[in-house]
């Protein structure tokens, strides 16, 4: 480590610039993909986009905001429920999906005033109580008819093909927009605050980071995003049964995706959603053993690989595809691997001191 | 109406039983065990299996199941919670949540979706009742449950204040490092605390099975009840848990009077009201919602 040469602080790397181009190409390919895919495949891809939204939003909350919630299904259910309500009131069904998500975001603001004062496990189960209560209250709505449920009937005016394509593009657009929003947020000045809170909340507060305000932003963003996901899910499945939408399994999926992918890394949530999607495709038919496997995998990751797949890759190889932080590179040794054992790592990055 | 109030208070005994393990574990290890309810249901299934397959009365079955739960608690702490707690405060939430999913679905795999009950195996106790003045009938089981809760909470309190082990557990909960300096084996104290907590969970599971029905996914509501009762009971002694349980049960009873689906809504609503009041009066954030039960005894 020579002190004579000043270190270079960089954000993008050659790989990240290639990755940025690749992302643009992938999105463009996904946009035209329905022309070449079977109807079933289009539906599966739509599900994948929804999973990516769920994972990214839960990761924003837990990985970046340090707020682990096991009640996020409340926003998923509300997203679907408000869409039903708005469509029933005469709004165009596709428009109601997004208006519904905005309503969910608005509802989450007063909720955040209250819930964000809870800490750790208390916040986690507190959110679960909120979800359970909301589920019961939605059941009281005559329109929903209790657990019998209802459906987004007005969507039936569109023929199946149009409906499938439109939902696919809406899901793709929502996913891209939400990821871009999160990416922009994390790269901006708020991003520094978010990572400071993630690494050490008290220390962040002591240097003037607006902890509560930043957390509220993430909480509302996550509510909004998961609201969209719930509304889109409703659009794909048409029927609304409260028990399905307010089921804690949605949060279990989110936790699984983020834990496996890499909590607190932007790319990790996307990778986790892909892994989950593949596992579901291959083993989803295994029923209860599939769920046992998901739970056991989550436990094993939390115990032995708490950084998840992407977090481990990132740490081992210093690879960063979509950089949201900065890294310090000392000149004269640009290609040294991240952990060369003896010297402090020259590629150590600013965002790597977190405790998962 | 007074009849319902008495029933509600007695039901509070059950909530106190299931809540005390949760708040005990939280106060000692700062961990909220999200598998808490699932483990109670597991205990209920173990008793059911003993009773239906081997004709062991659930009360005798406790002699097998409670030690088993203690071993599970010990193992859980040593191999799961201890390791995940090292990764920060958030990781144990995820670990225990994953564990809950595994337990729930294993139970489903093993026992299917049918609801079960221990009531058929405890003879007339499930429906026997005493008549109190004013033609109030109280179920014998409910009274036993309430008495068990009182004895258990009192016993825990005495154990924490008057035994060497209890004091070392309290010392660990206050500050594990300093406790280590004065010769307390914090790891051991934590594991014993987890074992004790799981014994209370086993008892709660037994009463859950005797007073009602359960199915493989009944763990989540039990966790919520336990959490709500513990938070409502709040700071101070273990007795707060009993009060929390009673308040929760009374709110549910009241809710059921108002609306056919109001039982659960009433419970959740009173929890949120208490939370709201506590948050707006304390201004301290929430460090102290589930406080040390030992504080008042020191």
């Amino acid at each position: 480590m020579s002190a004579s040469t000043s270190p270079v602080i960089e954000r993008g790397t050659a790989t990240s610039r290639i990755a940025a181009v690749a992302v643009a190409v992938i999105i463009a390919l996904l946009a035209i993909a329905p022309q070449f895919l079977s109807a079933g495949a289009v539906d599966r891809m739509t599900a994948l986009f929804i999973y990516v939204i769920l994972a990214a939003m839960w990761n924003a909350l837990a990985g970046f905001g340090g707020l682990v919630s096991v009640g996020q299904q409340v926003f998923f259910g509300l997203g679907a429920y408000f869409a039903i309500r708005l469509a029933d009131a005469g709004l165009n069904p596709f428009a109601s999906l997004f208006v519904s998500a905005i309503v969910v975001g608005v509802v989450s603001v007063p909720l955040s005033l209250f819930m964000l004062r809870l800490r750790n496990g208390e916040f986690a189960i507190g959110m679960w109580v909120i979800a359970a209560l909301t589920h019961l209250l939605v059941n009281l709505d005559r329109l929903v008819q209790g657990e019998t449920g209802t459906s987004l009937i007005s969507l039936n005016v569109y023929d199946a093909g149009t409906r499938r394509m439109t939902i696919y593009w809406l899901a793709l657009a929502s996913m891209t927009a939400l990821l871009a929003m999160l990416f922009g947020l994390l790269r901006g000045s708020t991003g520094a605050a978010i990572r400071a809170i993630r690494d050490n909340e008290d220390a962040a507060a002591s240097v003037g980071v607006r902890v509560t305000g930043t957390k509220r932003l993430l909480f509302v963003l996550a509510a909004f995003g998961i609201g969209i996901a719930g509304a889109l899910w409703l659009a794909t499945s048409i029927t609304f049964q409260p028990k399905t939408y307010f089921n804690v399994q949605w949060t279990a999926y989110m936790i699984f995706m983020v834990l496996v992918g890499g909590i607190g890394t932007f790319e990790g949530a996307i990778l986790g959603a892909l892994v989950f999607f593949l596992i579901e495709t291959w083993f989803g038919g295994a029923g209860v053993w599939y769920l046992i496997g998901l739970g056991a995998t989550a436990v094993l990751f939390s115990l032995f690989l708490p950084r998840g797949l992407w977090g481990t890759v990132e740490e081992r190889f210093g690879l960063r595809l979509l950089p949201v932080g900065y890294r310090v590179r000392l000149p004269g040794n640009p290609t040294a691997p991240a952990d060369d054992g003896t010297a402090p790592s020259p590629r150590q990055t600013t965002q790597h001191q977190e405790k998962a | 109406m007074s009849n319902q109030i008495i029933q509600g208070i007695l039901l509070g005994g059950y909530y106190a039983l299931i809540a005390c393990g949760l708040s005990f574990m939280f106060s000692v290890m700062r961990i909220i065990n999200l598998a808490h309810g699932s483990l109670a249901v597991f205990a209920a299934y173990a008793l059911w299996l003993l009773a239906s397959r081997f004709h062991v009365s659930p009360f005798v079955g406790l002699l097998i199941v409670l030690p088993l739960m203690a071993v599970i608690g010990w193992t859980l702490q040593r191999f799961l919670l201890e390791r995940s707690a090292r990764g920060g405060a958030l990781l144990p939430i995820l670990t225990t949540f994953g564990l809950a999913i595994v337990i729930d679905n294993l139970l489903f795999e093993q026992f299917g979706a049918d609801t079960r009950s221990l009531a058929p195996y405890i003879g007339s106790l499930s429906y026997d009742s005493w008549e109190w003045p004013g033609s109030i009938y109280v179920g014998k089981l409910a009274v036993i449950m309430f008495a068990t809760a009182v004895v258990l909470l009192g016993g825990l309190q005495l154990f924490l204040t008057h035994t060497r082990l209890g004091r070392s557990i309290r010392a660990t909960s206050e500050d594990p490092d300093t406790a280590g300096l004065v010769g307390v084996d914090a790891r051991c104290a934590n594991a014993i605390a987890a074992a004790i907590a799981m014994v209370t969970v086993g008892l709660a599971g037994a009463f859950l099975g005797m007073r009602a029905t359960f199915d493989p996914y009944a763990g989540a509501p039990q966790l919520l009840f336990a959490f709500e009762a513990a938070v409502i009971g709040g700071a101070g002694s273990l007795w707060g848990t009993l009060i929390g349980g009673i308040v929760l049960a009374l709110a549910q009873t009241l809710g059921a009077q108002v609306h056919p689906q109001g039982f659960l809504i009433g419970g959740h609503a009173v929890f949120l009201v208490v939370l709201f009041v506590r948050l707006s009066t304390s201004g301290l954030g929430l460090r102290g919602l589930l406080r040390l039960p030992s504080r008042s005894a020191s």
Side-chain angles (χ1 to χ4, degrees):
Chain A
M1 294 258 283
S2 57
S4 56
T5 48
S6 58
V8 180
I9 295 174
E10 63 179 14
R11 161 157 268 181
T13 59
T15 25
S16 76
R17 278 182 284 274
I18 296 169
V21 176
V23 166
V25 172
I26 289 171
I27 291 170
L29 284 177
L30 286 175
I32 56 166
Q35 315 291 343
F36 313 104
L37 292 175
S38 69
V42 171
D43 281 344
R44 288 300 293 154
M45 291 302 286
T46 310
L48 171 63
F49 300 152
I50 294 175
Y51 292 155
V52 172
I53 296 177
L54 290 178
M57 291 300 117
W58 196 84
N59 188 35
L61 197 62
F64 292 109
L67 294 162
V68 168
S69 159
V70 279
Q72 289 309 92
Q73 67 272 21
V74 64
F75 302 119
F76 193 81
L78 279 181
Y81 168 67
F82 287 137
I84 292 267
R85 263 279 159 211
L86 289 163
D88 185 64
L91 196 65
N92 173 286
F94 288 121
S96 66
L97 302 182
F98 293 93
V99 179
S100 162
I102 292 169
V103 177
V104 173
V106 170
V107 167
S108 75
V109 175
L111 193 61
S112 74
L113 297 176
F114 187 54
M115 297 308 292
L116 288 184
R117 299 184 58 187
L118 300 175
R119 283 185 157 241
N120 298 341
E122 293 168 345
F123 173 78
I125 310 190
M127 286 302 296
W128 199 349
V129 173
I130 297 281
L133 179 60
T134 312
H135 177 191
L136 293 166
L137 293 177
V138 164
N139 272 354
L140 294 181
D141 188 337
R142 289 259 162 79
L143 181 69
V144 175
Q145 307 171 66
E147 290 299 355
T148 319
T150 180
S151 41
L152 195 61
I153 310 154
S154 55
L155 213 52
N156 285 337
V157 299
Y158 303 95
D159 71 274
T162 321
R163 210 164 59 206
R164 178 170 291 117
M165 293 300 163
T166 315
I167 295 167
Y168 175 91
W169 280 316
L170 287 179
L172 177 63
S174 309
M175 179 190 78
T176 313
L178 282 167
L179 287 180
M181 224 190 290
L182 185 61
F183 190 64
L185 196 66
L186 292 174
R187 271 175 82 102
S189 61
T190 320
I194 289 170
R195 282 190 300 279
I197 293 169
R198 178 190 64 177
D199 292 346
N200 188 332
E201 191 175 322
D202 295 329
S206 75
V207 295
V209 171
R210 284 177 54 246
V211 172
T212 313
T214 311
K215 282 187 169 188
R216 178 163 307 133
L217 186 67
L218 287 170
F219 186 83
V220 173
L221 174 70
F224 172 72
I226 293 173
I228 289 187
L232 285 168
W233 195 267
L234 171 72
T236 58
S237 66
I238 305 283
T239 55
F240 176 73
Q241 279 180 306
K243 202 185 272 181
T244 321
Y245 285 79
F246 287 98
N247 197 324
V248 72
Q249 77 174 34
W250 291 107
T251 299
Y253 293 163
M254 295 180 217
I255 291 178
F256 175 87
M257 293 188 277
V258 174
L259 258 182
V260 169
I263 192 166
T265 61
F266 185 79
E267 301 94 328
I270 304 171
L271 177 66
L274 260 172
V275 171
F276 173 71
F277 176 75
L278 293 176
I279 291 176
E280 193 197 34
T281 310
W282 291 327
F283 302 108
V288 70
W289 281 110
Y290 158 71
L291 293 170
I292 295 169
L294 286 188
T297 314
V299 171
L300 289 176
F301 267 83
S302 79
L303 289 179
F304 299 105
L305 209 61
R307 291 170 161 288
L309 294 175
W310 188 260
T312 309
V313 166
E314 200 177 73
E315 189 179 36
R316 189 70 54 85
F317 303 106
L319 184 67
R320 188 134 320 137
L321 295 184
L322 301 168
V324 292
Y326 294 90
R327 64 165 76 194
V328 179
R329 190 164 56 89
L330 296 164
N333 195 12
T335 51
D339 46 349
D340 54 356
T342 50
S345 162
R347 284 199 165 196
Q348 210 166 37
T349 56
T350 49
Q351 62 173 82
H352 251 214
Q353 272 82 34
E354 106 245 43
K355 294 186 293 178
Chain B
M1 191 62 204
S2 63
N3 192 16
Q4 259 115 18
I5 290 175
I6 290 174
Q7 310 297 347
I9 290 172
L10 292 176
L11 177 61
Y14 166 71
Y15 293 141
L17 265 180
I18 189 130
C20 79
L22 187 84
S23 66
F24 183 66
M25 246 174 116
F26 181 78
S27 61
V28 178
M29 286 160 271
R30 309 282 142 173
I31 286 174
I32 292 187
N33 176 12
L34 267 69
H36 190 82
S38 304
L39 285 161
V41 174
F42 167 80
Y45 268 107
L47 289 170
W48 178 82
L49 191 68
L50 286 172
S52 66
R53 192 74 50 84
F54 305 103
H55 309 291
V56 179
S57 150
F59 290 105
V60 181
L62 279 175
L63 297 176
I64 302 168
V65 171
L66 292 186
L68 173 70
M69 291 303 286
V71 172
I72 289 176
W74 175 283
T75 320
L76 202 64
Q77 170 63 22
R78 269 292 161 91
F79 294 101
L80 230 65
L81 301 181
E82 197 178 278
R83 191 182 170 99
S84 82
R86 258 182 267 140
L90 298 180
L91 217 47
I93 306 174
L94 304 177
T95 313
T96 54
F97 185 67
L99 183 67
I101 294 171
V102 172
I103 294 173
D104 289 357
N105 288 293
L106 278 176
L107 289 175
F108 182 81
E109 214 284 320
Q110 196 62 39
F111 298 104
D114 297 345
T115 56
R116 313 279 186 196
S117 177
L118 295 175
Y121 306 104
I122 53 172
S124 61
L125 190 62
S126 55
Y127 50 83
D128 270 356
S129 58
W130 284 301
E131 187 180 359
W132 283 4
S135 66
I136 292 168
Y137 290 91
V138 290
K140 285 185 181 173
L141 182 63
V143 173
I144 293 174
M145 204 163 66
F146 193 84
T148 309
V150 172
V151 170
L152 186 71
L153 291 169
L156 264 181
Q157 190 86 19
L158 284 176
F159 164 76
L160 286 173
T161 43
H162 290 294
T163 65
R164 190 182 160 75
L165 189 58
R167 281 193 294 269
S168 62
I169 289 176
R170 273 165 54 214
T172 311
S173 76
E174 294 279 343
D175 186 340
D177 296 331
T178 314
L181 287 179
V182 294
V184 172
D185 182 350
R187 286 184 66 199
C188 184
N190 279 343
I192 289 171
I196 293 170
M198 281 310 124
V199 169
T200 71
V201 168
L203 266 176
F207 282 110
L208 167 71
M210 290 182 205
R211 59 165 272 270
T213 59
F214 53 93
D215 64 72
Y217 298 106
Q222 308 312 316
L223 169 70
L224 294 191
F225 293 150
F227 178 70
E228 288 173 340
V231 170
I232 295 171
S237 72
L238 280 167
W239 297 112
T241 315
L242 185 61
I243 294 166
I246 291 172
V247 170
L248 177 66
L250 284 176
Q252 290 177 335
T253 313
L254 187 70
Q257 296 285 308
V258 175
H259 190 277
Q261 291 172 34
F263 183 80
L264 292 172
I265 296 179
H268 295 322
V270 78
F271 162 77
L272 289 176
V273 167
V274 168
L275 199 59
F276 185 74
V277 170
R278 178 108 27 99
L279 286 176
S280 32
T281 52
S282 75
L284 285 171
L286 255 235
R287 275 160 220 272
L289 257 195
L290 293 171
R291 281 287 284 255
L292 295 173
S294 54
R295 193 54 71 73
S296 68
S298 54

